[in-house]
Amino acid sequence: MTQMISQTFDVKGGPQFGRDNVPKLRSELQALGLDGFLVPHEDEYDNEYLPDCNERLLWISGFSGSAGAAIVMKDRAAVFVDGRYTLQIRQQADGDIFDYRDLVEEGLSGWIESQAKSGEKIGYDARLHSPASLKRLKVSAHRAGVELVSVETNPIDTAWTDRPAAPMAQINPQPMEFAGEEHSSKRHRIGIAIERGAADAAVITAPPSIAWLFNIRGGDVSRAPLPLAAAIINKDGTATLFVEPKKLTDETRSHLGNEIAIRPESEFAAGLQEMQGKTVRVDASTASAWVYDQLNAGGATVQELEDPVMRPKATKNAAEVEGSRHAHIRDGAAITKFLHWLDTEAQSGEVDEIQAARKLEEIRMELPELRDLSFDTISGAQGNAAFAHYRVSKESNLMLVPGSLYLVDSGGQYPDGTTDITRTVPIGQPTAEMRTQFTRVLKGHIALSRVRFPVGTTGTQLDTLARLPLWEAGFDYDHGTGHGVGAFLSVHEGPQRISKAPSAVALEPGMIVSNEPGYYKEDGYGIRVENLQVVSPAKAIPGGERDMLGFETLTMAPIHKDLIDLHLLSPAELAWMDEYHAEVRNRILPLVEGEVADWLLKATEPLAGATP
């Protein structure tokens, strides 16, 4: 069971990291005879949110975002981020040390091909690269006449003399009432899939897959109840779990049972090399190139296929969906109390971003079921909210001043579900432009909530619906529209997503995704409306010929009516708003009282009869 850890708002990252640490790394590279080194954000477990000991990109560059990379050469360096972090990177990484580059359009492979010099030797840590990404890097290196060199010990780990210790959080069973399926059933189901794919076993390295497969939860990863471990599951459903023994309680050992062998994580390499003569399934997008190296060294045949746990985990069973409903109602009551506070006390102009984030955290912590936040709260006032994934610090902290917008994106981890919600709130009187842009974002959100779609439809095919009202006015946003969400697991989960990026993954019943279009005006304000929704069979459409799917909205909290320009909403959109607010009222009103209840009643009054 994870333990709630309060947020801190000290400055994390910044230009001084690169100034201090790039010379240290270059000294190590010189000793190794290398001209450069690749630094992905990913760690050995392909985590999104990393334990402190694995924050290598932050250590070398000062960049604290959740996606990025760097390359440090002996005479130059570059740091790569995607569209979410184009503003943040300029604040955190020293432009005199690093060139700012695009992670998606160019990335490390593109930089090597166009910027590396023939004859240079560039090191990499095979534990931090997937085989797919390493293959692309090697192709680019060959074209540039560059040699990529695998290092046994990461030179950053050597140079990082005050590196934090590895986490050792206790691992506990996930109760059946929330898991919905015994891990023995899961294992044998996955084993059948492995055998049908003509393999003998599969290597599982993604912490969320391990947590789901064995019905366990841990606390090694920030804001996610994940254990750091690895596993090999055989086609007969038996498995070996490679984990630090001190993490396991007697209850957890008993829970795992006799069909799961327990070995120290230090024996993972040996376990992989023992697969001689066997066909072993490995996911090239999550397992590291190092895993491939060990299997090949042991004489196994590697089969590249998707992690067999990923899709069963993504398609929630009835218990997981029901648990998520309860978690969102509980969380919605906390959010409603916070929104009431924003609409009353926080209108004074004397509240800042940190105070607001702490207030929301305090309200959530009143819930006995809360285990942790699902990510550090994005609490953005004024121009800070234009950073789509802004992280408030004591250095950046701004006031919630009249005439501005406040954007808050937050979530909680509960034993029965993971939540993620964004609301945008006016402080004082919003401008006509703010209301227009908010309503365009809202129209996109509603379109993605109301859509009905045939079986086989992907998130890419739906993404345009959320962007169209902005596109029609010449606007857009530089992040995905929706990500998958786990069941008391990671707040960002694959393989499902809703984005411009091509995806071949069809949306299936039980998949939970976010719906979060936005608009960001640099140095002005930010707007985002986010609910979580679960793919569900849709009601039959009269006269229709095919079975359709749709979305059930899980998130339960008011959307601020004062930001809506009613002239821009169609009758169908007005009806959706009223139906959603009626559901919020029914679910949340029994959980609040007094002034909050009175505010909720007003906040959820119908719009359909309002005067534009």
Side-chain angles (χ1 to χ4, degrees):
M1 196 72 69
T2 54
Q3 182 177 0
M4 175 66 189
I5 302 172
S6 296
Q7 298 173 92
T8 61
F9 301 98
D10 296 325
V11 177
K12 187 176 184 181
Q16 196 60 41
F17 277 68
R19 296 167 192 156
D20 291 342
N21 297 328
V22 166
K24 297 177 185 177
L25 176 58
R26 284 177 171 155
S27 177
E28 293 294 331
L29 296 181
Q30 184 176 4
L32 292 170
L34 296 173
D35 297 298
F37 191 70
L38 304 178
V39 189
H41 176 267
E42 290 77 15
D43 68 357
E44 296 89 323
Y45 305 91
D46 196 37
N47 284 309
E48 178 182 12
Y49 300 115
L50 309 182
D52 289 343
C53 63
N54 291 346
E55 288 276 13
R56 297 180 180 92
L57 180 60
L58 171 64
W59 183 85
I60 196 63
S61 69
F63 172 64
S64 63
S66 62
I71 183 166
V72 177
M73 307 297 291
K74 61 184 179 182
D75 57 354
R76 62 204 189 280
V79 62
F80 304 79
V81 297
D82 61 26
R84 293 174 295 173
Y85 296 112
T86 52
L87 300 178
Q88 180 177 332
I89 190 61
R90 295 179 181 274
Q91 292 184 344
Q92 291 192 306
D94 189 335
D96 292 333
I97 299 175
F98 293 95
D99 290 335
Y100 306 125
R101 315 293 288 212
D102 188 278
L103 181 67
V104 178
E105 297 299 324
E106 181 183 34
L108 291 171
S109 59
W111 190 95
I112 290 172
E113 193 163 338
S114 64
Q115 302 296 321
K117 301 171 185 176
S118 180
E120 288 184 318
K121 294 183 178 181
I122 301 176
Y124 69 92
D125 183 343
R127 293 172 176 82
L128 310 185
H129 296 269
S130 71
S133 66
L134 187 58
K135 183 177 180 179
R136 291 192 297 270
L137 290 167
K138 287 183 175 180
V139 169
S140 296
H142 177 74
R143 290 172 178 169
V146 169
E147 181 182 355
L148 291 186
V149 180
S150 177
V151 298
E152 186 172 336
T153 300
N154 193 308
I156 287 181
D157 298 350
T158 304
W160 191 355
T161 54
D162 58 348
R163 186 182 177 201
M168 288 288 168
Q170 181 175 296
I171 295 174
N172 296 286
Q174 174 73 335
M176 258 299 291
E177 63 179 303
F178 303 137
E181 182 182 6
E182 297 283 1
H183 67 79
S184 58
S185 171
K186 291 181 178 181
R187 286 187 285 103
H188 287 279
R189 184 153 60 99
I190 298 301
I192 291 171
I194 293 169
E195 185 172 30
R196 285 177 177 170
D200 298 299
V203 176
I204 309 297
T205 59
S209 292
I210 289 170
W212 182 89
L213 177 61
F214 298 111
N215 285 347
I216 54 177
R217 297 297 187 268
D220 288 336
V221 178
S222 174
R223 306 307 184 202
L226 301 176
L228 294 185
I232 298 173
I233 178 169
N234 302 307
K235 62 184 180 182
D236 64 359
T238 62
T240 302
L241 179 63
F242 298 89
V243 62
E244 294 301 328
K246 65 179 67 175
K247 294 182 182 180
L248 300 176
T249 65
D250 290 342
E251 179 189 11
T252 304
R253 289 179 181 274
S254 175
H255 160 81
L256 292 171
N258 296 327
E259 291 187 335
I260 302 172
I262 307 297
R263 295 176 65 176
E265 195 170 5
S266 59
E267 296 182 11
F268 185 37
L272 293 172
Q273 293 183 23
E274 290 164 9
M275 304 300 288
Q276 181 178 5
K278 295 185 177 181
T279 298
V280 183
R281 178 171 173 169
V282 185
D283 190 331
S285 67
T286 58
S288 71
W290 176 87
V291 170
Y292 278 56
D293 292 344
Q294 304 307 310
L295 288 169
N296 289 329
T301 299
V302 175
Q303 180 191 71
E304 288 193 2
L305 284 175
E306 183 181 86
D307 175 351
V309 176
M310 189 175 292
R311 297 207 189 200
K313 173 171 62 68
T315 52
K316 314 294 184 292
N317 60 42
E320 290 170 320
V321 172
E322 184 64 16
S324 188
R325 291 190 186 104
H326 287 291
H328 279 85
I329 292 169
R330 185 186 312 120
D331 195 69
I335 289 291
T336 297
K337 293 175 183 178
F338 178 65
L339 293 175
H340 165 259
W341 178 83
L342 286 175
D343 248 12
T344 52
E345 293 182 48
Q347 295 290 314
S348 65
E350 299 177 357
V351 172
D352 62 34
E353 295 168 337
I354 290 177
Q355 289 172 319
R358 282 178 171 154
K359 180 66 176 181
L360 176 53
E361 182 180 305
E362 290 169 4
I363 293 173
R364 271 204 175 98
M365 287 181 70
E366 293 173 358
L367 297 169
E369 299 89 351
L370 184 72
R371 296 295 176 262
D372 200 349
L373 304 183
S374 57
F375 55 97
D376 286 338
T377 299
I378 296 171
S379 176
Q382 303 180 62
N384 282 344
F387 295 79
H389 290 77
Y390 167 71
R391 172 77 175 101
V392 59
S393 69
K394 294 175 182 176
E395 186 178 83
S396 66
N397 193 24
L398 290 180
M399 304 297 294
L400 281 60
V401 297
S404 69
L405 298 181
Y406 172 67
L407 185 153
V408 57
D409 186 347
S410 69
Q413 291 282 12
Y414 304 92
D416 48 357
T418 300
T419 70
D420 182 1
I421 174 174
T422 307
R423 290 293 183 264
T424 307
V425 174
I427 305 300
Q429 186 66 28
T431 65
E433 176 191 296
M434 291 173 179
R435 296 178 74 240
T436 297
Q437 294 297 76
F438 179 88
T439 308
R440 286 176 175 141
V441 171
L442 178 62
K443 286 170 70 69
H445 177 90
I446 293 173
L448 192 54
S449 297
R450 297 181 61 239
V451 64
R452 296 292 181 265
F453 52 92
V455 173
T457 300
T458 69
T460 304
Q461 293 168 314
L462 300 182
D463 181 76
T464 302
L465 294 171
R467 297 179 189 270
L468 186 58
L470 288 163
W471 285 358
E472 288 176 333
F475 303 103
D476 199 6
Y477 50 93
D478 293 325
H479 58 74
T481 299
H483 56 82
V485 178
F488 190 38
L489 285 171
S490 298
V491 75
H492 295 131
E493 177 181 82
Q496 74 274 26
R497 66 173 184 265
I498 302 173
S499 70
K500 292 179 182 178
S503 172
V505 178
L507 296 172
E508 300 179 36
M511 287 182 171
I512 295 176
V513 293
S514 65
N515 172 359
E516 49 180 311
Y519 170 73
Y520 310 93
K521 183 174 183 178
E522 188 172 350
D523 297 325
Y525 54 85
I527 294 168
R528 189 159 64 249
V529 179
E530 177 188 16
N531 286 343
L532 298 191
Q533 46 197 42
V534 59
V535 180
S536 307
K539 293 181 180 178
I541 299 174
E545 297 180 347
R546 299 187 182 186
D547 293 335
M548 305 295 276
L549 298 174
F551 292 113
E552 172 195 339
T553 299
L554 296 171
T555 304
M556 291 288 134
I559 296 170
H560 211 292
K561 296 189 299 179
D562 288 352
L563 284 172
I564 301 174
D565 184 341
L566 298 182
H567 292 97
L568 298 180
L569 292 188
S570 68
E573 291 166 339
L574 285 167
W576 183 93
M577 279 294 305
D578 287 348
E579 290 169 5
Y580 175 66
H581 273 161
E583 182 74 4
V584 170
R585 180 186 296 198
N586 290 338
R587 298 290 187 182
I588 304 302
L589 193 59
L591 303 180
V592 296
E593 56 187 17
E595 293 181 359
V596 177
D598 294 339
W599 176 88
L600 177 60
L601 288 170
K602 184 176 180 180
T604 55
E605 286 177 349
L607 285 171
T611 303

